[in-house]
Amino acid sequence: MDWSMEDAAWTNHELKTFGFQSRPTTVFRKLESDKAPVEKVLRGKDDWENWFNGVWERTPNAIGENEFYAVLCSRAEPVFEDDEAPISYVSVTRDTWERLTRSFHIHRSITRSIARQVASFSSFYEDNEAAEPEIHFTIRMSKYLRGDLALSLTYIPSTDSTFAVVYGCNEQQTQEIKKRIRSAGDKTKYPLLMIGIFAELERERLATVTDKLIDKFALLSARLDSGPWIPSKTMSSEDTQDYLMLCLQSRTVVDNIRPVRRKLFKIISEIDEFGQYFTSRKGEAHPDEVRKARRFKKEGVQMKKRLQDIIYEYDDKMEECNVIAGNTALAMQTVSSQIARHDSDLNTRIARANTDIALETRRENIQMRSIAVLTMVYLPFSTVAAIFSMNLFDWGAQDGSSVVSKYFWVFVVVAAGLTVITLLTWYFITCRHEKIANKDASELQSKMA
């Protein structure tokens, strides 16, 4: 069974899951005494060393002081054209990342969430006597739409400290997260705040894709309303491909929204479990545990309401995508039906034309048969008449004279020779035509094969 990973030091194999390259990385820090989060952009290893030394030069995580830390790893440049770099390419060096995993208590399960490349959410409560209790969360967007992100979050109840790392932020997402953290105010004290921000970013991502599909469908539909619709003329192969791609993209969006909905339901359940965890341990470790549990419960209720609204919005988006897919499929079926009807009418007209040609041919054959019969009747008479009308016969010859001319053999030789020449010419012409026809037929068959 694939059990949840126990908290332990990161192995070399798990570190190899990531790619490392120094890039600008935004870091937020807010203490109980701070009115607003402190933001810094760290660009290299030296900046990170200075930041770590400045943050941890005092005793870290002083008891009773709320701390909020968030690291926004920028996305690397694309490896291939028109393709985003994986979110596993973090924007720090390996040494900095190893220190960050220790300082931010990053749980190793983030490697599995990133490697799966599908929408997921998991939590792990580490509560044992050997170490301070820690609560870990990992969440990931699906890789199969642009702009995917991942988040690892660790909350330490004993110090009321939250450590969050967001993986794969592009410039727009970085600005959006910055805006939401700045406007959160005291909500930064709620450990699940970054999970809520993550859900909002995913909502915007899917809503943007869905709205683009709806706009594209509206433009394609406007073509049908602009004038008479003749599928054989109006629907080109490019238009047909556009409709098919629209249908496939709509189904793809629905397939991506479904697991996100399930993930949100899981987060809602996790909010309840998170609140119950603190309710069950009131007064055990800190005098303000009761107040903290009450605050977490109140903020959890607000977050659940917002997540439920997002789920309802996803339901609407799925319905819109299903409408697009259904209407597109109906349009394609209508086009296919119209084309089939057009082909049927064309075949009917061709059949009628063939029938007319066959009737005309039959009438011509009847006439030719009549001519042939008349020719057979008159041909012997005309042949005999032509022969006997020649000067080769002397019907008035005297006794002892020959009726047939001595040059009759010339007629026989010339007639026989002409007959042979005619037959040979007919034979060779016929054979040549048959060879050409056979060659054309073989070429046609080879092309069809």
Side-chain angles (χ1 to χ4, degrees):
M1 182 174 180
D2 193 9
W3 298 98
S4 298
M5 294 180 177
E6 296 292 337
D7 188 26
W10 283 56
T11 65
N12 186 57
H13 176 72
E14 289 164 342
L15 290 172
K16 287 182 178 179
T17 304
F18 297 90
F20 303 99
Q21 182 187 29
S22 289
R23 297 187 301 276
T25 305
T26 303
V27 179
F28 280 96
R29 176 190 178 199
K30 184 181 181 185
L31 306 180
E32 179 73 26
S33 57
D34 294 332
K35 294 182 179 180
V38 178
E39 174 189 344
K40 291 199 71 174
V41 178
L42 308 180
R43 302 182 181 278
K45 185 176 180 179
D46 294 338
D47 289 348
W48 277 101
E49 290 296 328
N50 295 333
W51 185 80
F52 276 122
N53 295 333
V55 170
W56 267 269
E57 62 183 3
R58 63 179 180 82
T59 302
N61 302 331
I63 298 297
E65 184 170 7
N66 177 281
E67 294 187 349
F68 170 80
Y69 294 91
V71 174
L72 311 183
C73 293
S74 59
R75 188 179 285 271
E77 292 296 323
V79 179
F80 303 102
E81 189 177 356
D82 297 331
D83 191 14
E84 292 183 313
I87 60 176
S88 57
Y89 290 5
V90 294
S91 54
V92 296
T93 63
R94 174 164 174 161
D95 293 340
T96 302
W97 178 252
E98 291 181 7
R99 186 171 182 180
L100 196 62
T101 58
R102 296 190 298 269
S103 301
F104 275 44
H105 307 273
I106 300 175
H107 199 265
R108 297 179 300 132
S109 59
I110 186 62
T111 60
R112 183 168 58 186
S113 298
I114 290 177
R116 290 180 62 191
Q117 300 184 351
V118 296
S120 62
F121 172 77
S122 61
S123 62
F124 181 71
Y125 288 73
E126 182 191 347
D127 195 355
N128 54 64
E129 298 178 357
E132 290 289 340
E134 294 181 358
I135 304 175
H136 304 277
F137 302 95
T138 61
I139 184 171
R140 197 207 196 287
M141 298 181 187
S142 171
K143 174 185 179 295
Y144 302 106
L145 292 177
R146 295 183 66 85
D148 59 316
L149 294 173
L151 167 70
S152 60
L153 187 145
T154 300
Y155 175 67
I156 303 177
S158 60
T159 59
D160 201 17
S161 299
T162 303
F163 302 89
V165 179
V166 185
Y167 306 82
C169 299
N170 58 37
E171 183 62 30
Q172 182 180 355
Q173 291 167 332
T174 300
Q175 296 301 323
E176 184 65 23
I177 296 174
K178 287 181 180 180
K179 183 181 72 174
R180 291 182 180 274
I181 291 177
R182 294 193 196 102
S183 62
D186 289 340
K187 292 294 191 296
T188 55
K189 297 179 181 179
Y190 184 54
L192 305 185
L193 168 69
M194 291 300 295
I195 294 179
I197 293 176
F198 192 92
E200 293 287 354
L201 292 175
E202 191 162 30
R203 182 200 67 81
E204 292 179 2
R205 175 185 182 227
L206 293 172
T208 300
V209 174
T210 307
D211 291 341
K212 287 182 179 178
L213 287 178
I214 294 173
D215 293 340
K216 187 175 181 180
F217 178 73
L219 290 175
L220 290 175
S221 301
R223 299 180 187 176
L224 304 181
D225 297 333
S226 59
W229 187 43
I230 304 175
S232 58
K233 298 181 180 179
T234 308
M235 290 293 290
S236 63
S237 58
E238 291 79 8
D239 293 334
T240 304
Q241 184 177 6
D242 289 342
Y243 275 103
L244 289 176
M245 288 300 298
L246 185 62
C247 184
L248 292 176
Q249 290 170 358
S250 300
R251 297 185 185 278
T252 300
V253 172
V254 172
D255 292 339
N256 278 274
I257 291 178
R258 285 198 184 101
V260 175
R261 288 182 71 257
R262 292 194 295 267
K263 184 172 68 177
L264 291 184
F265 281 117
K266 191 174 181 180
I267 293 175
I268 290 175
S269 300
E270 188 61 41
I271 293 174
D272 292 332
E273 183 177 349
F274 183 76
Q276 291 171 3
Y277 175 82
F278 290 95
T279 302
S280 63
R281 60 193 299 271
K282 289 179 181 178
E284 292 182 2
H286 197 279
D288 292 333
E289 288 290 333
V290 176
R291 181 168 53 86
K292 182 195 296 184
R294 188 177 300 133
R295 174 167 54 86
F296 285 175
K297 181 178 180 181
K298 178 182 177 182
E299 291 170 349
V301 169
Q302 295 176 353
M303 185 171 172
K304 286 196 299 182
K305 288 181 178 179
R306 175 55 187 160
L307 293 178
Q308 194 64 55
D309 291 339
I310 295 176
I311 291 174
Y312 293 149
E313 184 175 353
Y314 282 152
D315 291 337
D316 294 337
K317 297 299 182 183
M318 290 176 62
E319 184 176 351
E320 290 174 350
C321 289
N322 288 327
V323 168
I324 291 175
N327 290 343
T328 303
L330 177 61
M332 296 307 300
Q333 291 175 0
T334 304
V335 169
S336 300
S337 176
Q338 291 289 337
I339 293 175
R341 181 179 176 183
H342 177 268
D343 292 342
S344 177
D345 293 340
L346 180 61
N347 291 333
T348 301
R349 290 196 296 270
I350 292 174
R352 289 176 179 172
N354 290 335
T355 302
D356 295 338
I357 293 173
L359 293 175
E360 184 65 27
T361 303
R362 184 167 179 267
R363 285 193 294 268
E364 291 178 356
N365 288 338
I366 293 174
Q367 294 175 359
M368 293 301 297
R369 186 183 301 171
S370 303
I371 294 171
V373 170
L374 293 176
T375 301
M376 285 188 296
V377 171
Y378 288 103
L379 183 59
F381 294 98
S382 59
T383 302
V384 171
I387 292 174
F388 288 122
S389 64
M390 291 189 300
N391 293 329
L392 296 176
F393 298 95
D394 184 10
W395 302 108
Q398 300 296 324
D399 294 340
S401 300
S402 174
V403 176
V404 180
S405 173
K406 62 180 180 180
Y407 298 106
F408 183 75
W409 64 272
V410 177
F411 165 75
V412 174
V413 171
V414 172
L418 291 175
T419 301
V420 171
I421 291 173
T422 303
L423 291 175
L424 290 175
T425 303
W426 169 82
Y427 176 76
F428 285 117
I429 292 175
T430 303
C431 291
R432 183 172 178 273
H433 287 171
E434 287 181 355
K435 288 180 181 179
I436 294 174
N438 293 334
K439 182 180 179 181
D440 293 341
S442 8
E443 290 179 355
L444 181 60
Q445 289 177 355
S446 61
K447 289 180 181 180
M448 292 177 64

